[in-house]
């Protein structure tokens, strides 16, 4: 293991894509940039089972202990060194996951969540309708999800 210090984005992407596995033993982490960058490069990840991490699947493997993490790494090395397709399948799954987490996939969902508009047509139909009514106690209008005030109820 060799510490490389700060790397440019180009160097980092190159290293992720050349790696056979990324070990990310975090104890505290939010939506992990390390995991997202690794899977975008098609590299399987061995990480801690944190609630904020992507659920375990064939490309993101969880180890609760150093021993479990080492076992996953050994498994990936065996798969890489054999003639089967298991390792390449894991890399393909990693790339698919990265596509689902890309800005192009996530931004429209986030925008719709924050603005209550611009949902794709298939999601527009299932969008909950805003509720607007007068408060039972005060008779004052209640502002609904759309921000409009309805005084006629």
């Amino acid at each position: 293991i060799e510490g490389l210090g700060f790397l440019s984005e180009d160097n980092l992407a190159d290293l992720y894509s050349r790696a056979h596995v990324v070990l990310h033993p975090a104890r505290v982490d939010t939506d992990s940039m390390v995991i997202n960058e690794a899977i975008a490069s098609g590299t399987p990840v061995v990480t801690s089972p944190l609630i904020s991490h992507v659920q375990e699947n064939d490309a993101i493997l969880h180890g609760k202990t150093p021993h479990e993490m080492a076992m996953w790494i050994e498994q990936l090395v065996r798969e890489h060194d054999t003639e089967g397709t298991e390792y390449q399948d894991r890399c393909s799954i990693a790339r698919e996951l990265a596509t689902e987490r890309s800005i192009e996939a996530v931004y429209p969902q986030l925008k719709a969540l924050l603005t209550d508009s611009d949902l794709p047509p298939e999601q527009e139909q299932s969008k909950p309708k805003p509720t607007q009514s007068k408060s039972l106690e005060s008779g004052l209008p209640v502002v609904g999800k759309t921000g409009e005030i309805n005084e006629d109820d």
Side-chain angles (χ1 to χ4, degrees):
I1 297 176
E2 178 182 348
L4 301 176
F6 181 80
L7 299 171
S8 70
E9 287 185 26
D10 289 338
N11 287 340
L12 190 58
D14 180 55
L15 286 173
Y16 275 126
S17 64
R18 290 188 347 214
H20 298 300
V21 60
V22 170
L23 175 62
H24 183 56
R27 289 186 181 218
V28 176
D29 199 6
T30 55
D31 185 34
S32 177
M33 186 65 89
V34 171
I35 293 173
N36 291 329
E37 290 171 339
I39 63 174
S41 298
T43 303
V45 178
V46 175
T47 189
S48 312
L50 299 178
I51 197 164
S52 60
H53 284 176
V54 177
Q55 289 183 340
E56 184 172 28
N57 54 59
D58 287 338
I60 300 170
L61 309 163
H62 292 174
K64 293 179 184 174
T65 65
H67 179 71
E68 286 180 9
M69 290 181 177
M71 287 175 39
W72 276 122
I73 292 170
E74 289 171 350
Q75 174 68 27
L76 290 167
V77 168
R78 278 192 302 276
E79 289 175 7
H80 180 269
D81 292 345
T82 62
E83 293 185 25
T85 63
E86 282 183 283
Y87 181 79
Q88 290 305 319
D89 292 345
R90 288 185 192 275
C91 295
S92 295
I93 291 167
R95 287 185 195 93
E96 289 172 21
L97 286 170
T99 301
E100 293 170 10
R101 298 172 66 83
S102 71
I103 188 70
E104 293 81 13
V106 174
Y107 179 74
Q109 296 171 15
L110 180 60
K111 182 178 178 185
L113 179 69
L114 297 175
T115 64
D116 196 37
S117 63
D118 296 325
L119 286 174
E122 63 275 4
Q123 291 180 351
E124 184 68 37
Q125 294 175 352
S126 64
K127 179 174 72 173
K129 302 296 180 211
T131 58
Q132 300 169 337
S133 62
K134 289 187 178 183
S135 167
L136 294 176
E137 294 177 13
S138 68
L140 296 174
V142 175
V143 179
K145 195 172 177 186
T146 61
E148 298 172 3
I149 298 176
N150 185 349
E151 296 183 24
D152 297 330
D153 284 346

